[in-house]
């Protein structure tokens, strides 16, 4: 009787190797992955599928021919936006930019105030006022950073010429002497041009000074209003920002709520000298009429300069 393999003694032939087995297609050759402008890692190579989104049947092009699609947003702000991605981290260029900005901020804090440079800048800007120099009770930069209270008081034995003035201007290094070096003279000149008829005390350059140091300085000079131009705390996008603080009736013990502030004077990326001066002069005139400053004094000017936004 024949078995399942045919007659007795006859074997069923074995299939050839690979017979009946479907070959698996070889993967397409691809080049190395690349990081697109939107930060996503995309396949790249001659056989890579085209996964770009389409709009209205047309392929949207974001390549070297059309430029970076985030360039418009970056051009509208100094903030660190759309930095891209390299694996799990930032691209090397963005990382180096971050480190450079951090170093600039640290340098701005620890730079010493150069009073001679400030005097020279005031002269070049056409400011004809006398310039006086004072120090706070903080003897050095390290102490100033560790003891904010000492930066609000004049050094013992400080004497200033008393008088009767409508305004006193104090240029204090604050946390960015660089801001005073670069922007104080231009701001002072723009302010004085807009205050004809005002009696202005000699300009005071203050070492290791904070905003409240203007209170004893203004009181000693006999000024009705004091404006402190101070270097603001540096950020990763602004190491040279100048702040203007207005106080009516300066005397030790004034609260921060009794001051008005104009921040981020640093053309071309912040307020320009003319715009900052216009805002400050409007506040000065309103403060003199009201007899006060701070929360009771409101800035009624435009929020943005003409053409902004």
């Amino acid at each position: 009787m024949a078995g399942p393999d045919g007659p007795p003694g006859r074997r069923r032939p074995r299939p050839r190797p690979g017979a009946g087995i479907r070959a698996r297609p070889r993967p397409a050759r691809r080049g190395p992955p690349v990081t697109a402008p939107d930060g996503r890692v995309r396949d790249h190579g001659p056989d890579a599928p085209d996964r770009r989104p389409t709009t209205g049947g047309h392929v949207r092009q974001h390549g070297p021919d059309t430029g970076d699609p985030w360039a418009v947003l970056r051009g509208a702000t100094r903030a660190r936006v759309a930095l891209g991605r390299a694996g799990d981290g930032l691209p090397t260029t963005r990382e180096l930019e971050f480190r450079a900005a951090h170093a600039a901020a640290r340098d701005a804090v620890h730079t010493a105030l150069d009073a001679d440079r400030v005097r020279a800048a005031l002269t070049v800007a056409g400011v004809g006022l006398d310039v006086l120099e004072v120090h706070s009770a903080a003897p050095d930069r390290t102490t100033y950073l560790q003891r904010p209270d000492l930066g609000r008081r004049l050094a013992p034995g400080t004497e200033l010429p008393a008088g009767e003035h409508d305004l006193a201007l104090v240029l204090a290094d604050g946390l960015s002497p660089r801001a005073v070096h670069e922007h104080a003279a231009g701001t002072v000149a723009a302010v004085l041009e807009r205050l004809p008829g005002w009696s202005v005390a000699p300009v005071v350059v203050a070492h290791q000074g904070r905003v409240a140091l203007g209170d004893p300085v203004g009181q000693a000079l006999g000024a009705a209003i004091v404006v402190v131009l101070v270097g603001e705390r540096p950020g990763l996008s602004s190491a040279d920002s100048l702040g203007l603080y207005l106080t009516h009736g300066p005397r030790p013990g004034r609260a921060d709520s009794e001051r008005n502030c104009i921040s981020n004077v640093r053309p071309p990326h912040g307020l320009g000298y003319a715009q900052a001066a216009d805002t400050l002069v409007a506040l000065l005139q309103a403060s003199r009429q009201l007899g006060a400053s701070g929360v009771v004094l409101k800035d009624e000017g435009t929020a943005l300069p003409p053409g902004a936004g």
Side-chain angles (χ1 to χ4, degrees), residues 5-279:
D5 294 328
R10 184 179 176 181
R11 294 185 177 180
R12 186 176 183 177
R14 295 181 180 180
R16 296 189 308 273
I21 301 176
R22 299 184 63 181
R24 181 177 300 175
R26 296 179 63 183
R29 297 180 60 185
R30 304 178 186 275
V34 296
T35 302
D38 59 3
R40 299 182 181 179
V41 178
R42 301 183 182 274
D43 295 334
H44 180 71
D47 300 321
D50 188 353
R51 300 174 181 171
R52 292 174 295 182
T54 60
T55 302
H58 299 282
V59 177
R60 191 185 311 167
Q61 297 288 342
H62 287 330
D65 296 337
T66 58
D68 185 351
W70 295 98
V72 175
L73 179 59
R74 290 198 193 98
T77 177
R78 299 290 292 174
R80 316 183 92 79
V81 296
L83 300 181
R85 186 173 61 199
D88 293 333
L90 290 173
T92 302
T93 300
R94 302 305 183 192
E95 176 68 20
L96 294 177
E97 290 173 352
F98 176 86
R99 295 187 183 188
H102 185 257
R106 290 174 61 90
D107 289 345
V109 171
H110 293 283
T111 298
L113 178 64
D114 187 342
D116 291 337
R117 178 177 175 180
V118 176
R119 283 194 181 93
L122 289 170
T123 300
V124 170
V127 177
L129 298 174
D130 292 336
V131 179
L132 308 176
E133 193 172 348
V134 300
H135 291 75
S136 75
D140 52 55
R141 196 65 176 170
T142 300
T143 306
Y144 169 80
L145 296 174
Q146 295 174 344
R147 292 285 306 276
D149 58 308
L150 296 181
R152 303 184 185 107
R153 305 199 301 263
L154 284 169
T158 300
E159 296 183 359
L160 292 169
E164 294 185 3
H165 305 284
D166 298 320
L167 176 66
L169 298 171
V170 179
L171 314 184
D173 48 7
L175 292 174
S176 178
R178 173 183 167 185
V180 178
H181 293 158
E182 297 183 7
H183 304 304
T187 304
V188 169
V191 170
L192 295 179
E193 289 176 359
R194 291 161 170 77
L195 291 175
W198 281 54
S199 172
V200 183
V203 176
V204 176
V205 177
H207 295 263
Q208 319 297 1
R210 296 187 182 269
V211 173
L213 187 68
D215 296 338
V217 170
Q219 183 183 48
L221 292 172
I225 304 174
V226 65
V227 173
V228 179
L229 294 79
V230 62
E232 297 181 308
R233 180 177 62 251
L236 290 175
S237 60
S238 58
D240 60 338
S241 179
L242 187 72
L244 316 179
Y245 289 81
L246 180 158
T247 307
H248 187 279
R251 56 175 172 75
R254 285 292 191 189
D256 289 340
S257 60
E258 297 176 289
R259 313 185 198 281
N260 294 87
C261 174
I262 301 170
S263 183
N264 197 35
V265 179
R266 49 185 295 267
H269 303 298
L271 288 180
Y273 304 144
Q275 184 187 358
D278 287 341
T279 303

